Amino acid sequence: RKEVEQDPGPFNVPEGATVAFNCTYSNSASQSFFWYRQDCRKEPKLLMSVYSSGNEDGRFTAQLNRASQYISLLIRDSKLSDSATYLCVVNGDSNYQLIWGAGTKLIIKP
Amino acid sequence: NAGVTQTPKFRILKIGQSMTLQCTQDMNHNYMYWYRQDPGMGLKLIYYSVGAGITDKGEVPNGYNVSRSTTEDFPLRLELAAPSQTSVYFCASSSFGTGDEKLFFGSGTQLSVL
């Protein structure tokens, strides 16, 4: 089993739709969870951290399920500018060492 | 604010050549990282550093070397380049432990070994 696993997609959704990504992780001791966004041929940028209680930032909602060892990202009212690859990131044996998923590609269509 | 500056942006090497990827950050971050990203894959950690004079191997260190003589600089050295080292390389830094665990990335280096 991969340490961090994501559906590679691509997810093709119409503008205005709601889309959800899941990410599973194998290390039950992981404490830090993040979603990063990566545009084509660009560096990753932090979208949001994922807290135990869940968190929301505008149209984006992140949830953590420790029992099932997965995190999720929900994007509401999707925009064309949301088209990107979304990377799930979980800390490894040390808090400062991060394990990256392969990413889920999202394509928003007009 | 320059943030993390990474050079060069593109490079083509012949098999067996060597080169150094430069990385500088001006945010006084203690933690610095080198990652590689192959097409359709996530980032793999090559080496990391928790402060000047301290470096350690990540998941895929073979064929690479690093040094951290100052807080600002964290160069990555490729010795005897091989086609398997064709990838996009990202340098990153963070102020881990201060409550802000966000990684700041350089713009990446596209390296081809032919």
Side-chain angles (χ1 to χ4, degrees):
Chain A
R1 180 183 176 186
K2 291 182 181 178
E3 291 186 86
V4 176
E5 198 153 5
Q6 298 183 248
D7 186 333
F11 283 36
N12 289 280
V13 301
E15 193 175 7
T18 296
V19 60
F21 307 133
N22 282 335
C23 165
T24 58
Y25 61 94
S26 61
N27 186 351
S28 60
S30 292
Q31 295 293 322
S32 301
F33 310 90
F34 309 92
W35 284 103
Y36 275 74
R37 170 193 169 127
Q38 186 175 29
D39 293 297
C40 188
R41 301 182 187 278
K42 299 285 190 180
E43 71 274 20
K45 293 184 179 178
L46 180 66
L47 179 65
M48 56 199 311
S49 303
V50 186
Y51 304 118
S52 296
S53 55
N55 46 305
E56 186 174 314
D57 183 2
R59 298 181 293 109
F60 299 84
T61 301
Q63 297 281 351
L64 168 64
N65 185 317
R66 286 190 184 276
S68 300
Q69 292 181 211
Y70 77 83
I71 65 174
S72 64
L73 177 67
L74 182 77
I75 305 175
R76 293 181 298 278
D77 187 24
S78 53
K79 312 292 184 189
L80 295 176
S81 57
D82 294 333
S83 296
T85 296
Y86 291 83
L87 299 162
C88 171
V89 188
V90 178
N91 76 282
D93 292 334
S94 300
N95 271 337
Y96 49 81
Q97 292 188 43
L98 302 177
I99 310 297
W100 295 71
T104 297
K105 187 171 184 177
L106 173 65
I107 300 171
I108 305 298
K109 297 184 173 181
Chain B
N1 254 353
V4 179
T5 303
Q6 188 179 336
T7 57
K9 292 190 183 299
F10 304 95
R11 185 71 186 267
I12 298 174
L13 286 180
K14 293 182 179 179
I15 294 172
Q17 286 186 320
S18 300
M19 75 164 295
T20 298
L21 279 66
Q22 302 292 344
C23 178
T24 299
Q25 54 94 6
D26 63 358
M27 296 171 284
N28 201 33
H29 287 167
N30 281 330
Y31 291 78
M32 295 189 75
Y33 310 81
W34 273 106
Y35 290 96
R36 61 176 286 173
Q37 186 177 30
D38 298 326
M41 305 292 287
L43 277 68
K44 297 293 185 184
L45 183 64
I46 305 171
Y47 270 95
Y48 67 97
S49 170
V50 301
I54 306 170
T55 63
D56 209 346
K57 296 177 181 179
E59 303 169 75
V60 289
N62 291 344
Y64 308 95
N65 277 301
V66 294
S67 59
R68 185 94 182 269
S69 57
T70 66
T71 299
E72 294 78 19
D73 300 309
F74 190 42
L76 177 71
R77 178 79 177 166
L78 278 73
E79 304 282 2
L80 299 175
S84 60
Q85 294 178 304
T86 294
S87 190
V88 178
Y89 291 82
F90 290 105
C91 177
S93 72
S94 76
S95 57
F96 183 84
T98 65
D100 182 1
E101 297 169 356
K102 175 181 176 181
L103 283 177
F104 293 79
F105 283 88
S107 57
T109 297
Q110 173 72 61
L111 175 67
S112 296
V113 182
L114 306 175

